[in-house]
Amino acid sequence: MTVIVLSGPIGAGKSSLTSILAKYLGTKPFYESVDNNPVLPLFYADPKKYAFLLQVFFLNTRFRSIKDALTDDNNVLDRSIYEDALFFQMNADIGRATKEEVDTYYELLNNMMGELKHMPKKNPDLLVHIKVSYDTMIKRIQKRGRPYEQLSYDATLEDYYKRLLRYYKPWYEKYDYSPKMEIDGDKLDFMTDDHAREVVLDQIVAKLKEMGKLPESWDKSTNIQIEEQ
Ligand SMILES: Nc1ncnc2c1ncn2[C@@H]1O[C@H](COP(=O)(O)OP(=O)(O)O)[C@@H](O)[C@H]1O
Ligand SMILES: Nc1nc2c(ncn2[C@H]2C[C@H](O)[C@@H](COP(=O)(O)O)O2)c(=O)[nH]1
């Protein structure tokens, strides 16, 4: 049983790589609740009012996903509970949560992380982090086209996105729930460039092999079919 979690800023390519990896390795993908998330558009319209509610929504779905992933078979998760506090802390730091909300959030998170310690499998096997620059992040956000994420919707998003990128470096360095590796999301256009996709998959497979964690179901002859998002 192999559990891989992906991480990275908004638009880095996590959902895309989750789908590619799941098909390549023959594992089950877990996606973030985005298009079926009723709080996300409310948050972008009024971040201060909805930051806490949105975080509780994400935390709850991430808790369910990681529990399922850790009890299930081979899985790939598009962002996970390990990244949750990065977002909430950043929003709290810019005044979008009260002290009571922050305290309640961390109590809830600590309770949930405590529950995970009782799972038969306690941690993922590998974190794959997609590193991107601000320019790449914005290009991908534009390409995906969710209206409320565009700079034209709210000019303060530029600061928000730049701040988010700054929070990722220490977060990645500190992450120690599993072995980890970084993918260069600026250079490796794994959505449109076959060679780049092969490079990324080879890097991940090499890491899994080195750890003795390649899923048994994996077969290199698997046909990879990529669907544009
Ligand atoms: N490496 C890449 N090269 C080029 N385009 C990409 C790459 N990764 C993602 N994209 C495109 O960028 C957009 C955002 O990707 P997505 O997978 O939704 O990111 P995330 O899940 O990290 O927010 C999508 O339109 C996707 O097709
Ligand atoms: N305030 C928070 N926003 C979050 C969190 N996780 C995701 N998001 C937002 C960012 C994007 O607009 C959208 C989807 O994220 P992707 O990285 O998958 O594009 O949801 C969070 O924990 N808090």
Side-chain angles (χ1 to χ4, degrees):
M1 190 235 240
T2 303
V3 176
I4 301 173
V5 293
L6 270 76
S7 67
I10 304 166
K14 300 175 299 298
S15 310
S16 309
L17 189 55
T18 296
S19 156
I20 293 170
L21 261 181
K23 278 180 196 154
Y24 192 61
L25 297 174
T27 60
K28 181 173 156 192
F30 283 78
Y31 295 102
E32 284 247 273
S33 303
V34 176
D35 295 328
N36 59 348
N37 182 333
V39 193
L40 197 57
L42 299 176
F43 167 77
Y44 280 96
D46 190 343
K48 201 166 176 167
K49 183 168 176 189
Y50 290 105
F52 179 71
L53 179 60
L54 178 63
Q55 210 57 53
V56 170
F57 185 98
F58 271 123
L59 180 58
N60 186 40
T61 56
R62 286 172 182 148
F63 182 55
R64 192 165 46 223
S65 295
I66 192 74
K67 272 199 314 179
D68 288 352
L70 290 172
T71 43
D72 207 357
D73 200 4
N74 300 309
N75 300 298
V76 185
L77 276 81
D78 156 15
R79 203 179 268 128
S80 62
I81 195 163
Y82 309 104
E83 247 166 299
D84 201 86
L86 181 163
F87 269 92
F88 189 60
Q89 191 56 56
M90 181 186 82
N91 277 282
D93 289 347
I94 54 176
R96 293 173 171 181
T98 63
K99 182 185 177 303
E100 291 74 20
E101 286 171 334
V102 172
D103 291 348
T104 305
Y105 170 77
Y106 279 108
E107 248 189 66
L108 185 57
L109 179 66
N110 288 339
N111 274 338
M112 289 176 170
M113 296 309 285
E115 286 296 306
L116 295 184
K117 287 187 188 144
H118 303 297
M119 305 283 291
K121 182 179 177 77
K122 293 170 183 46
N123 294 312
D125 297 293
L126 178 65
L127 170 83
V128 178
H129 179 67
I130 309 175
K131 197 174 162 195
V132 286
S133 62
Y134 176 73
D135 287 350
T136 300
M137 182 182 180
I138 289 298
K139 268 190 214 134
R140 305 254 172 91
I141 287 172
Q142 284 169 350
K143 182 177 172 195
R144 187 170 56 195
R146 281 184 205 129
Y148 49 78
E149 292 175 348
Q150 308 306 314
L151 301 182
S152 54
Y153 179 82
D154 175 357
T156 68
L157 284 172
E158 180 175 343
D159 276 354
Y160 184 73
Y161 292 154
K162 285 182 173 165
R163 182 178 282 266
L164 185 68
L165 286 176
R166 288 200 297 276
Y167 276 57
Y168 264 101
K169 194 173 183 292
W171 175 85
Y172 179 73
E173 279 164 10
K174 210 172 149 208
Y175 173 92
D176 63 356
Y177 289 96
S178 68
K180 55 190 173 183
M181 61 180 287
E182 263 185 328
I183 297 288
D184 187 336
D186 288 337
K187 289 207 185 108
L188 295 164
D189 178 348
F190 50 77
M191 288 308 285
T192 55
D193 177 348
D194 288 351
H195 175 68
R197 190 179 314 136
E198 227 173 90
V199 169
V200 169
L201 290 171
D202 283 351
Q203 284 176 4
I204 297 171
V205 164
K207 182 78 182 174
L208 290 171
K209 223 182 226 171
E210 175 196 312
M211 303 185 309
K213 292 283 183 180
L214 253 186
E216 281 158 28
S217 57
W218 185 74
D219 171 5
K220 197 166 174 50
S221 62
T222 305
N223 248 350
I224 316 165
Q225 288 163 5
I226 312 301
E227 287 149 21
E228 262 290 310
Q229 293 201 339

